[in-house]
Amino acid sequence: MPVVSIAREGNVAVVTIDNPPVNALSQAVRQGLLDAVTALDADPAVVAVVLQCAGRTFVAGADVSEFGKPPQEPHLPDVVSAIENTARPWIAAIHGSALGGGFELALACRFRLALADASVGLPEVTLGIVPGAGGTVRTIRLAGVEAAVDLVTTGKPVRAGRALELGLIDEVVDADLLEAAVALAKDLPNRTLPEPLPQRPAPVADDAFWTDAEARITKRARGEIAPLRALACLRRATESDFVTAMTFERATFLELRAGPQASALRHVFFAERAAPKPAALSGVPALPLRTAAVIGGGTMGAGIAAALRDAGLPVILIERDEAAVARGIANLSDIFAGAVKRGRLTDAAAEARIAGVAGSTDYAALADVDLVIEAVFEDLAVKRDVFAKLGRICRTDAILATNTSYLDPREIAEGLANPARFIGLHFFSPANVMKLLEIVPTPETGDATLASAFALARMLGKIPVRSGICEGFIGNRILKRYRAEAEALVRQGHAIASIDAAMRHYGFAMGPFEAQDLGGLDIAFLQREGARAAGRNVPETLGDTLVRAGRKGQKSGGGWYDYNVGDRRPLPSDEVARLLCLDPATAVEADLGSIADRLVGAMADEGATILSEGIAEKSSDIDLVEIHGYGFPRWRGGPMFQAASDH
Ligand code: 3HC
């Protein structure tokens, strides 16, 4: 079956792209489209052409897997231009997503129809590139400067309704898309054709607009270059003629495509798509997950409950007493109220979210749930007690999960009848926001339970990473090493503020010490104290010295830094210097890059050990953990990608 085929509906030709899974514009598709233009232009019986796609979506873009290789003819801009200049008008019939090169293809058509649930967009910046086939130059002519800047520099797609408002499509279709497109094609002789985009004038914007946009994007990008380069393409589109702007955009695309940021972002793109599909589970069906319960309504429990509600599952929230239930529900209400405030939920949707939560102190309420996630205090005895009750009350096929961060899931599950349904599900706070979910099976966890955990991640929109059992699993184990290395730098005379500055400069939102001050130093301290009390040899850290002196972070008025009341800006602290015997006057001079390299190198080194122990299955999983759980800059690809690129 050819990837591009032509059929007839009377005097209308229907060109169908069929290149599963997402109709990406591979070399064969580009060639097929060019051949279709030539064939149809030569056919006097054809009055118009409908371009549609088979399968789940319209064209989702250029074929990203071709990006690492030399470009092959025909190039996409030539295909787009051939369609734009064809003797017959082409009509794009969009279902699913028209993204990147797919949307650029649609922009070459004279008309664009889309199903109401379709979306269109230019997500190239998320791959470290800019549109490469006229996306900036044509979009700005249709949607105007502001909307084009928003679309192209964020890369966020828009739904058909919004696309219609912006002028990016011509019609939203509710019923049969092909029928509507063919009807339009047949009606074309009665319509005035819109002017081709190259002949339309580009809108303009003043210097102040561009300066302001540049400042905003620079701040948001934290070192990522594509959004700023996309802005430059848009500006050029307003200041040059069509052809010059197209040449500028293509050159920028080719330059970025060959660069390190695009290569890192491609790595993340494929890593994210590989993570939810572990080979070992192929063909294992997941159990149905229709109802869920969360044990513990603290910050973590409420966040998990919110994530479950966001995915549409009814939730039972269990707490020890009525007051704790009320606090848990209040925590949930706060989360949804915050979403309303940020414009992410309507009032009515927030109310419906809360209405789907039933608070209870009685485990008997869990007799029929499909999934229980325990998020109580990190104490083995308390957790075991919870699972003993769950084991007695829940259905034997219900999945019982612990959200422990540091305890050994095998010990938590001890004594549980049917341990095959037990698993660790490690969420990251705030659990309704953070994308990472570490999935931690014990040796006894059954395949169906594991497959269901991956299915749950999909339902919740999380990136699942399977982790073996070790202290801290993948993420917190690397975090521990990262912090230890940062402390080693301090001991060697580096200024605390320089280390934080180095990591911000690298692309993190915060450095290691600022992050500890925000989250609190006491949690890790108490853990170490617990291990010491259990007779383990845990060396004293600099953080321990600060906590012992009452410096637990921002919440206690200071940690690694001092803070003025009501002000989160970190100030170098004389008290810290004294407590840790640091002499700021003799601080080591080091460039920010070498500090960051050392810290990222330590993360990668720990990652390599984790991989060699089989705790992580693939090195790209470790990168995903760091990117989605710990703020590692996505455009750097993760510590393992960085280490591999350095050699
Ligand atoms: N190229 C190659 N493969 C792609 C692809 C692309 N553009 N987009 C998706 N795929 C592959 C995925 O790797 C995955 O493969 P697998 O099954 O072997 O793992 C498969 O298609 C399905 O992808 P998803 O799991 O992401 O499927 P979803 O249904 O969840 O999402 C989608 C579909 C919304 C289309 C999503 O795949 C997506 O956002 N794709 C990327 C779109 C994109 O970034 N396009 C721009 C490309 S750059 C470009 O066009 C440059 C141009 O300006 C010149």
Side-chain angles (χ1 to χ4, degrees), residues 79-105:
V79 177
V80 167
S81 159
I83 293 175
E84 191 163 57
N85 295 316
T86 176
R88 322 268 173 254
W90 280 46
I91 297 167
I94 301 168
H95 76 290
S97 310
L99 298 176
F103 185 49
E104 290 173 310
L105 200 62

Side-chain angles (χ1 to χ4, degrees), residues 294-303 305 317-320 324-325 327-332 375-376:
V294 176
I295 315 291
T299 308
M300 205 37 149
L317 185 68
I318 297 280
E319 264 292 1
R320 332 180 258 287
V325 170
R327 274 197 303 276
I329 301 280
N331 287 340
L332 261 165
V376 302

Side-chain angles (χ1 to χ4, degrees), residues 6 8 13 15 32-46 49 86 88 90:
I6 303 174
R8 296 299 163 92
V15 173
L33 286 169
L34 209 51
D35 292 346
V37 171
T38 312
L40 295 172
D41 270 0
D43 186 343
V46 172
V49 181
T86 176
R88 322 268 173 254
W90 280 46

